Amino acid sequence: MTKTGSILLAALAGASALLVSGATPAVANPNAINPIPVLNGTNGLPTLHGRTQAVFQVTGMASPNNTQNYNVLGTDLGIMWDNGRGEMLTAFGDTAGIGFPNLLVGSTWAWRSNILVRSHTKDPSGGVFFHSVVRDVVGQARDLIPSPKIPFLEISRIPTAGISANGVQYLSMMSVKTWDAPGEWTTSYSGLAASADNGETWADLTHTRRPDEGGNSNFQMNAFLKDGGYVYEYGTRSGRNNDAFIARVPEAQIENLGAYEYWDGGGWKLNDVNAAAPIMGGVGELSVMYNEYLGQFVSLTTDPFNSVVMRRAPSPQGPWSGPEVLIDTRELPTAYAPSIFPYQTGPDLYFMTTIHTQYNVVLMRTRL
């Protein structure tokens, strides 16, 4: 979630000659043709010296996925989930490519707010490879839910979580009203979008919207987890460095806000969003999954210093441990939005994270 038209414009300067022809660029020197800034190392991967290593460039012109072939030169997030049939869906956020200017903001790049790709990768040790993308009529990755890109109305509609429930794909999305100071933004509401055709077309479920007011303000950015017949929804306010809260709902009732229960610190309260109590603090974008190797639930996020951190818990609501640093901000200060790979990988924890200086997504591996 990056909100930096200036960075993207600078990154794309001089790239208009590429015009997304569908040709795969030469890979011998990807930096020579890649208009997105890259870091030092193989294919732009950062060299890390802690417990986490960068293993694969997921998006951008330095990626084996060649995402420029569907006009994705820069993007962020990489929210992954299983579609219920063994295929992985991945949603990305604000996405830049070559295209018609957006005259409302004076940009010269094709801006989309939410795109989707599909993958059959189960073993990410050699990378995550996409086999299809939701495209528009000219072949570029298209918005799933369009937004007008008008400040104070809706500047972007950003996905924050994805899940398959009852054979339907769901995205939790936030309607961003304004980008504010770094790490801060203002939303109008969050809500669900649904797809019954494996992510090809989406319906905006207006009856699931949570306005950015009262207790619903604590569920503007979300993460999903399925466990024991429930869908758990982790929520925070818009922006980073906030408290996190948790709700749950029977899977069959995911679209019914009145069926949600909220953890108040000692028990679950039905249909009372104002009863929700914080379960962890100082978090940004969240990702949560049960880890069979550890026998615990794990969450990934960034801390107030912008290090990528992991917490552990015996149950979805906690108690959650203190943060363990996976990527120290002193080594990679512009990482954000870590998202856990949805399939079990033993003692290795794989996750995608965005590197803002590249404005692209990288696959990381941590040994547990």
Side-chain angles (χ1 to χ4, degrees):
M1 295 166 212
T2 81
K3 335 333 170 207
T4 53
S6 59
I7 287 179
L8 285 168
L9 286 171
L12 293 168
S16 58
L18 296 173
L19 290 179
V20 191
S21 65
T24 301
V27 295
N29 183 13
N31 292 351
I33 55 164
N34 190 350
I36 306 296
V38 294
L39 302 178
N40 294 325
T42 303
N43 285 337
L45 296 178
T47 301
L48 303 176
H49 300 93
R51 61 187 293 190
T52 299
Q53 292 78 45
V55 298
F56 186 75
Q57 188 81 31
V58 178
T59 65
M61 294 180 68
S63 170
N65 283 311
N66 295 315
T67 59
Q68 75 279 356
N69 288 349
Y70 36 93
N71 205 14
V72 176
L73 300 181
T75 191
D76 71 347
L77 302 185
I79 298 161
M80 298 168 281
W81 74 96
D82 180 82
N83 70 350
R85 299 183 297 277
E87 183 180 43
M88 187 176 80
L89 306 184
T90 304
F92 294 97
D94 280 337
T95 298
I98 302 301
F100 293 106
N102 183 330
L103 298 179
L104 291 173
V105 293
S107 69
T108 57
W109 44 279
W111 173 12
R112 289 136 291 161
S113 295
N114 45 82
I115 65 170
L116 186 81
V117 298
R118 306 180 184 93
S119 173
H120 292 311
T121 299
K122 294 294 196 301
D123 177 4
S125 61
V128 173
F129 294 89
F130 306 138
H131 67 83
S132 67
V133 59
V134 177
R135 299 175 184 258
D136 63 16
V137 293
V138 297
Q140 69 176 355
R142 65 168 172 81
D143 268 332
L144 310 174
I145 300 291
S147 58
K149 308 292 189 294
I150 300 175
F152 302 101
L153 176 60
E154 183 179 81
I155 192 65
S156 201
R157 185 80 67 93
I158 303 295
T160 65
I163 198 167
S164 173
N166 316 306
V168 176
Q169 309 308 316
Y170 290 94
L171 277 171
S172 181
M173 310 183 82
M174 62 176 177
S175 174
V176 179
K177 181 162 42 176
T178 58
W179 298 120
D180 306 325
E184 300 178 4
W185 50 90
T186 301
T187 52
S188 298
Y189 58 84
S190 65
L192 297 178
S195 172
D197 57 5
N198 200 34
E200 197 64 29
T201 59
W202 291 80
D204 187 2
L205 304 182
T206 57
H207 61 282
T208 67
R209 289 181 178 176
R210 296 179 181 272
D212 187 16
E213 57 188 40
N216 282 316
S217 293
N218 296 323
F219 291 88
Q220 294 300 292
M221 297 166 53
N222 297 302
F224 285 137
L225 167 76
K226 282 205 294 190
D227 186 65
Y230 287 95
V231 171
Y232 289 84
E233 181 182 44
Y234 296 81
T236 72
R237 292 178 175 270
S238 56
R240 303 191 180 103
N241 192 20
N242 290 307
D243 288 337
F245 302 81
I246 186 171
R248 71 179 187 182
V249 66
E251 181 175 345
Q253 295 292 311
I254 189 172
E255 295 182 22
N256 179 7
L257 288 181
Y260 281 69
E261 299 176 303
Y262 301 86
W263 182 253
D264 69 357
W268 295 99
K269 301 296 183 183
L270 178 64
N271 196 23
D272 187 1
V273 68
N274 296 308
I279 60 170
M280 61 181 89
V283 305
E285 298 92 337
L286 265 171
S287 179
V288 185
M289 181 175 165
Y290 181 76
N291 186 273
E292 293 176 357
Y293 179 79
L294 296 177
Q296 294 177 299
F297 295 89
V298 297
S299 69
L300 296 187
T301 188
T302 49
D303 69 7
F305 305 101
N306 215 53
S307 292
V308 174
V309 297
M310 179 178 75
R311 293 177 173 86
R312 314 175 188 216
S315 68
Q317 66 270 21
W320 287 90
S321 70
E324 306 172 34
V325 174
L326 302 190
I327 302 176
D328 193 303
T329 190
R330 291 169 292 185
E331 284 205 294
L332 194 59
T334 67
Y336 66 96
S339 178
I340 302 171
F341 184 74
Y343 305 111
Q344 299 292 327
T345 52
D348 290 319
L349 179 70
Y350 287 87
F351 60 95
M352 290 186 190
T353 194
T354 307
I355 300 177
H356 189 251
T357 47
Q358 294 188 25
Y359 202 64
N360 267 304
V361 176
V362 170
L363 181 69
M364 302 286 183
R365 181 185 65 236
T366 294
R367 178 57 59 96
L368 297 172

